[in-house]
């Protein structure tokens, strides 16, 4: 089944930032509970938006979320010191968001990851910027997998993010990433493919139908995880329906549950 | 771009049957105009439901539709005598619906098709029934293509229907047809893939979301045509959006037109 990384606990979201600033425990706990009930498999926690407060905000968020979390957390920070603290505070092996091929991030994240029990999101980004072709995405994914394996990480702990780019700038940006994902999954069937989706619709109107149609296409190519808002019931409905159609939902159990709960509607 | 075969003019639909019985020219002409305006690339015409009246009903329908049709018709009958009459009445080379590997249909349709200027829907059905595996679909498609080429039909006039089957009976029925379509398109890039979609959701609730999610997956596999209701704006929105994401909509022109006309909504 597709794995949903719930993206809501991020201080770049206004209401979350206000709740963090005011140390509003109920607001944060309710949001996490709602995401879990909607089917989140991981809860992303990002405290980066209040400059100078990331460490204390992350600590408070983890203290707040810990007691009610029924799923693992996805610790989202570029700072290994903050990740080190956060890693020590969680009771289930977390997902880490993220490493990339950018030299500075790579060089600081590799020692952090070595020997840790965690999953890792690995971005196909390097110091030249975003990938420019399918082959470029694939080459970057291969480098990331090889490097992460060299420090003992298993392939099924690696979540490659191919970095979705806006279709409005170039009509081949969809097939570029779809082709790459298909080839990465062929080469490494155990490696996961994840990422945000909303970049695909940047600059266009009615973005949500683009995002949910794109996740459907990406699932056919082999994407098996995404960083999304689990409270967006239309994208969740598309994911559950596509999972059923792709043979990942025996007896249509998850689909029928989604219909009964009112998430899946024609 | 994806080709839409508008399915509405079919006497098995109650309102259409009533209009045909009453020779209600306005009703039929308005329905066809609506389908064309919504983006139908072909208008399917099926007069088979009133037993004993197919020939006169088909003749009246073609007389009625002919003057206002701006797109080619898809002549839908199992009876070559009726198809022969209908073929003589249309002013644009039509699509014919359909041939199959069932011996009787095959043996009567091949002489009809020989030398005609038309497109042909070729069903992966034989006298043993529906295909039972991806390989079975592929083998039947190969037979159909070879036979149709042997009477001079070009590959880009052939529309293979792989015959979608209900996911409710077997969770592999989706991947079975997706895998087959991908391989048929690899082998014959010019051959089209078409078909009805609604069988996929047979026996399940909220069928329309299944149908439109499935067409999105099928488009990723290589389906480039379907027999649908063009007035179902949600499936048309999914098709236009997927076409854009698959690189078939330069500068997002068709997508933006769909947004402006109100068909595409988040």
């Amino acid at each position: 089944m597709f794995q949903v990384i719930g993206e809501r606990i991020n201080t770049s979201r206004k209401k979350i930032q206000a709740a963090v600033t005011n140390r509003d425990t109920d607001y944060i706990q309710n949001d996490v509970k709602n995401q879990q009930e909607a089917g989140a498999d991981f809860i992303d926690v990002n405290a980066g938006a209040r400059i100078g407060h990331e460490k204390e905000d992350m600590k408070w968020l983890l203290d707040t979320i810990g007691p009610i979390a029924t799923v693992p957390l996805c610790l989202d920070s570029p700072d290994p010191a903050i990740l080190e603290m956060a890693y020590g505070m969680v009771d289930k092996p977390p997902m880490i968001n993220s490493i990339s091929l950018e030299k500075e991030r790579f060089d600081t994240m590799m020692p952090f990851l070595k020997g840790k029990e965690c999953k890792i999101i690995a971005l196909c980004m390097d110091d030249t910027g975003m990938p420019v072709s399918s082959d470029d995405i694939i080459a970057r994914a291969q480098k990331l997998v090889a490097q992460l394996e060299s420090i003992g990480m298993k392939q099924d702990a690696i979540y490659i993010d191919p970095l979705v780019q806006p279709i409005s700038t170039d009509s081949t940006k969809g097939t570029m990433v779809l082709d790459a994902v298909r080839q990465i999954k062929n080469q490494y069937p155990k490696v996961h493919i994840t990422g945000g989706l909303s970049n695909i619709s940047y600059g266009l109107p009615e973005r949500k139908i683009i995002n949910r149609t794109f996740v459907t296409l990406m699932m056919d190519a082999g994407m098996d995880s995404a960083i999304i808002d689990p409270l967006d019931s239309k994208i969740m409905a598309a994911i559950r329906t596509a999972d059923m159609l792709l043979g990942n939902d025996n007896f249509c159990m998850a689909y029928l549950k989604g219909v009964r709960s009112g998430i899946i509607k024609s």
Side-chain angles (χ1 to χ4, degrees), chain A:
Chain A
M1 290 282 291
F2 194 86
Q3 297 182 321
V4 171
I5 305 168
E7 70 184 5
R8 296 175 56 86
I9 304 297
N10 188 318
T11 50
S12 69
R13 295 170 88 104
K14 271 189 191 165
K15 288 182 179 176
I16 298 294
Q17 179 159 151
V20 170
T21 304
N22 302 325
R23 300 299 191 239
D24 185 342
T25 299
D26 284 354
Y27 188 92
I28 296 296
Q29 289 190 339
N30 280 333
D31 194 289
V32 170
K33 285 177 192 166
N34 289 339
Q35 290 189 71
Q36 290 177 158
E37 202 166 312
D41 299 290
F42 300 89
I43 300 290
D44 191 89
V45 183
N46 182 314
R50 297 210 310 149
I51 307 296
H53 296 270
E54 185 178 3
K55 192 160 188 179
E56 70 205 49
D57 285 354
M58 179 63 96
K59 183 171 182 312
W60 179 78
L61 276 168
L62 296 178
D63 276 333
T64 302
I65 295 167
I68 54 105
T70 58
V71 299
L73 304 185
C74 177
L75 307 172
D76 187 355
S77 171
D79 183 342
I82 286 172
L83 290 172
E84 196 72 65
M85 172 200 75
Y87 184 82
M89 291 179 68
V90 295
D91 62 357
K92 296 179 191 71
M95 182 178 279
I96 303 295
N97 188 2
S98 55
I99 192 171
S100 75
L101 293 167
E102 294 158 292
K103 186 165 173 20
E104 193 184 331
R105 182 177 289 214
F106 183 83
D107 288 348
T108 54
M109 284 300 293
M110 286 291 277
F112 167 79
L113 289 170
K114 194 169 180 179
K116 291 233 171 38
E117 191 182 357
C118 64
K119 300 173 193 299
I120 178 70
I121 297 177
L123 312 180
C124 291
M125 177 74 90
D126 70 16
D127 287 315
T128 68
M130 302 280 274
V132 297
S133 66
S134 284
D135 288 346
D136 195 10
I137 298 172
I138 295 162
R140 293 175 188 207
Q142 288 168 333
K143 267 188 216 167
L144 286 161
V145 172
Q147 292 287 340
L148 290 167
E149 285 191 299
S150 79
I151 56 167
M153 297 205 73
K154 301 285 181 209
Q155 288 193 6
D156 75 355
I158 300 172
Y159 288 66
I160 295 287
D161 181 344
L163 298 179
V164 169
Q165 299 173 49
I167 193 88
S168 57
T169 62
D170 176 348
S171 65
T172 67
K173 289 296 188 192
T175 50
M176 176 176 120
V177 68
L178 289 163
D179 292 346
V181 166
R182 187 163 278 118
Q183 291 185 57
I184 295 167
K185 285 297 279 191
N186 272 345
Q187 188 175 352
Y188 309 108
K190 289 186 180 171
V191 163
H192 301 278
I193 305 291
T194 195
L197 296 158
S198 57
N199 272 357
I200 193 71
S201 59
Y202 180 81
L204 289 169
E206 304 295 335
R207 294 183 63 177
K208 285 188 174 185
I209 189 175
I210 303 176
N211 299 347
R212 67 178 180 266
T213 304
F214 193 59
V215 76
T216 306
L217 296 170
M218 286 286 277
M219 287 172 73
D220 192 46
M223 181 179 238
D224 57 3
S225 169
I227 305 166
I228 61 167
D229 180 356
L231 302 191
D232 175 348
S233 62
K234 286 188 177 178
I235 200 167
M236 289 297 285
I239 288 169
R240 294 289 180 249
T241 306
D243 242 353
M244 172 179 75
L245 292 169
L246 291 168
N248 302 324
D249 183 10
N250 271 332
F251 307 109
C252 312
M253 299 278 279
Y255 177 82
L256 292 168
K257 191 180 157 199
V259 171
R260 279 194 301 273
S261 72
I263 291 167
I264 298 175
K265 289 181 200 156
S266 271

